[in-house]
Amino acid sequence: MSEEILVDVNPFETRVALVVDGRLREVHIERPAGRSLRGNLYRGRVERVVGGVQAAFVDIGLGRPGFLHVRDFHGVRVEPGCAAPDISKLVRPGQSLLVQVAKDPLNGKGVRLTTNLALAARTVVLLPFDTHIGVATRIVDEDERERLKDLVTRLRAEAGTPYGYIVRTACRSATEALLRTEIRRLHGLWKRVSRRYGEIAGAMAAPRSAAGFTGNACLVHEELPVPMRIVRDFAGPTTRAILVNHTDTFHRVADYIGQRLPELAETVAHYQGRTPLFEARGLETAIDRALDKRVPLPSGGTLVIEQTEAMTTIDVNSGRFVDSADLESTAFTTNLEAAREIPLQLRLRNIGGIIVVDFIDMVDEHNQQAVMDALHGAASDDPARFRAAGFSQLGLVEISRRRTRESLGRQLCDTCETCSGRAFAKSPQTACYDIFRALARRAKVPECASEHLVRASQRVVDRLLDEEAAYLAELERDVGPIRLQVEPGYAADQFDLVSH
C-alpha cells in the first residue's frame, strides 16, 4: 500500500487529501468560517440543565451552547439495562467545566462536548482523568497487544504519573524511544493545560470534580491545524509523499515532521507546479464524483446513495450486468463488489450515523456471509468506528458509522433553490395543471379581470402551446384571453399569474 498526503492551501480554503494507491480516500476541508473545533479544550459555563434529555447546555464562547449528555461525563458508566444517573446531581447551572469538543456542529446544532478529556499524539492518547491503559482494537494480535500494554505501563512508571493511555494503531511501528518522547510531550501539554485552566490540579486527584471552578468561557487548548493533524494521524511507513503547495505551511509541516517523524523528512516536498496541485492529481474530478448519488461498480452495477436528515440509504442495482449462470450468481457478484465499495464511499463522503443498505436479494446464506466479510474487510482501515449487522429478514444491512463532522456533501453543497431540498421538482405537466387551477379560481371571483398574463419557464410555455393547447383554449372561453410570456430564469414549477 502506498499513501500520499496532499495539502492545498488558499487564502479562502485549506484542503488536505489522503490518497491511497492512487485513489482519493479522504478529503478534509476547512474554511475561515467553519474551522474544525474537534479536540479543542474549553473552560465552559453551564447555562442550563435539562433533565428531560439528561443533558447540560454549556457556553464555551461560540455563540451557540454546546451539548453535554450525561453519558459523556467522566466517571459515568451505564450498564446495559440500567438507567443513567440523574444529571442534575452531577452538574448545576452556573458551574464551570473543563470540556472537550467531541463532535463539530452538525445540521445546525451546537458542538457535542465531553468531560472525558483526551490529548492525542501519533502513537498514544493521554487520558488525564483516567488510569487504565487500553490498546486500539485494530491491533488484533494478542501477543502484540500485551507487549504494547506492558511497554506503556513501564514508561508510565518511569514518568511517575497516574494517567491513563490509549495505545493507537500507529504504535505498532513506533520505537520505544519515540513512544517515550511522545509520552513526555503529552505530560508537558497537560501541565500547560492545567496552568491555563487555573486550579485544575485539584481536579486531577478527584476527576469528577473537574467541574467546580468559576470563570468565563474561554479556549484552553487548541488542536493542531488540519494539515499537521492529518500528518500526525495518517503519516507512517507506507507514506511515500507529503506535498504542500503553500510556502509557510510547507515549512510548518516540514518542521513538525522533523521533530515528530524524522524518518519521513525526505517525503515532504514543496509543490510548485504550474497546474494546481489537486487538479494535477485528478482530485478535483474525484471530489465532484463524490457528490454524485450514483456510483458505478466494475461489473456494470451501481450504488445509489441517498443522504437524508435521519439516515443514509444505499440501493445496490445490478444495472446492465447479467451473469449467464443464474440470478443468485448475478446478485452475489454485484453485492460483493458493492460491499467492497460502500465503506470506501462512506469514508470519502464522510457519511456517518445510520446507513441502511438494500443489497440484491440472495438466498444462499454462505453468499450473504461472504458479502458481510467483504464489507467488514473493506472497512478495516476506516478510522471512524464502523459496525454492521447481518442481513435482516427483509434483506437489508444496517451500518453504524461514527459521525464527528459534516459530510462532504453538506460541506460543499447547499439546499437546491429549485426543489427546496426535496431532491425533485414538479414536472412541466404538473405546473400546467397548477396554472389551469389558478385561472379557474380567478374565474369564480366576482368582477374578474378580462385578460390574464401567465409568466412561466420555456418548458411550461411550450407545453401549454402544444400538449395542453386544447385545455388552454377551453379555459380561455371561461376566463377571457390568456397571454403567455417566457421567463428564462424560472424553474419548471414556477409561474406568475397577472390579471388585468
Side-chain angles (χ1 to χ4, degrees), residues 137-138 314 339 341-347 351-353 355 357 372-389 397-403:
T137 56
R138 295 188 188 281
I314 302 178
E341 183 65 29
I342 286 170
L344 304 181
Q345 290 296 324
L346 295 179
R347 184 178 177 185
I351 293 175
I355 301 105
V357 184
M372 292 303 302
D373 291 343
L375 188 66
H376 286 289
S380 61
D381 62 348
D382 189 344
R385 187 170 64 240
F386 182 101
R387 292 183 296 177
V397 171
E398 297 177 5
I399 295 173
S400 171
R401 185 175 185 271
R402 181 175 174 81
R403 175 166 48 196

Side-chain angles (χ1 to χ4, degrees), residues 152-163 165 183-184 187 191 204:
V152 173
T153 301
R154 178 163 55 82
L155 293 176
R156 179 175 69 175
E158 285 182 12
T161 59
Y163 307 136
Y165 296 91
I183 287 176
R184 287 176 178 171
H187 289 173
K191 289 180 181 178
M204 292 166 60

Side-chain angles (χ1 to χ4, degrees), residues 123-124 133-135 143-159 165 167-168 170-181 183:
T123 58
V124 288
I133 295 177
V135 181
D143 291 338
E144 179 67 3
R145 292 176 66 87
E146 285 298 320
R147 184 188 73 82
L148 292 173
K149 189 172 183 178
D150 291 343
L151 175 59
V152 173
T153 301
R154 178 163 55 82
L155 293 176
R156 179 175 69 175
E158 285 182 12
Y165 296 91
V167 180
R168 306 184 73 180
C171 195
R172 285 182 298 192
S173 59
T175 63
E176 181 176 335
L178 174 61
L179 190 55
R180 179 181 287 108
T181 299
I183 287 176

Side-chain angles (χ1 to χ4, degrees), residues 180-198:
R180 179 181 287 108
T181 299
E182 292 208 327
I183 287 176
R184 287 176 178 171
R185 285 198 181 108
L186 288 175
H187 289 173
L189 174 59
W190 176 240
K191 289 180 181 178
R192 292 193 295 274
V193 169
S194 301
R195 285 196 299 268
R196 180 83 186 273
Y197 189 73

Side-chain angles (χ1 to χ4, degrees), residues 388-453:
F391 281 81
S392 71
Q393 292 183 345
L394 298 178
L396 305 177
V397 171
E398 297 177 5
I399 295 173
S400 171
R401 185 175 185 271
R402 181 175 174 81
R403 175 166 48 196
T404 56
R405 55 191 172 95
E406 288 281 20
S407 68
L408 185 65
R410 295 192 187 279
Q411 281 185 290
L412 299 183
C413 303
D414 206 347
T415 301
C416 174
E417 295 181 359
T418 300
C419 70
S420 301
R422 295 180 309 224
F424 56 84
K426 289 183 179 180
S427 67
Q429 181 181 25
T430 302
C432 289
Y433 297 164
D434 286 343
I435 291 170
F436 292 160
R437 280 188 284 270
L439 287 167
R441 286 194 297 271
R442 292 288 177 92
K444 296 178 181 179
V445 176
E447 300 179 358
C448 179
S450 58
E451 184 179 90
H452 307 276
L453 172 65

Side-chain angles (χ1 to χ4, degrees), residues 230-256:
I230 300 305
V231 168
R232 179 194 69 193
D233 292 342
F234 293 105
T238 57
T239 302
R240 68 178 182 87
I242 302 173
L243 303 181
V244 187
N245 73 333
H246 185 260
T247 303
D248 290 343
T249 305
F250 162 71
H251 289 305
R252 288 198 292 270
V253 171
D255 289 344
Y256 181 84

Side-chain angles (χ1 to χ4, degrees), residues 201-213:
M204 292 166 60
R208 292 181 67 172
S209 67
F213 300 91

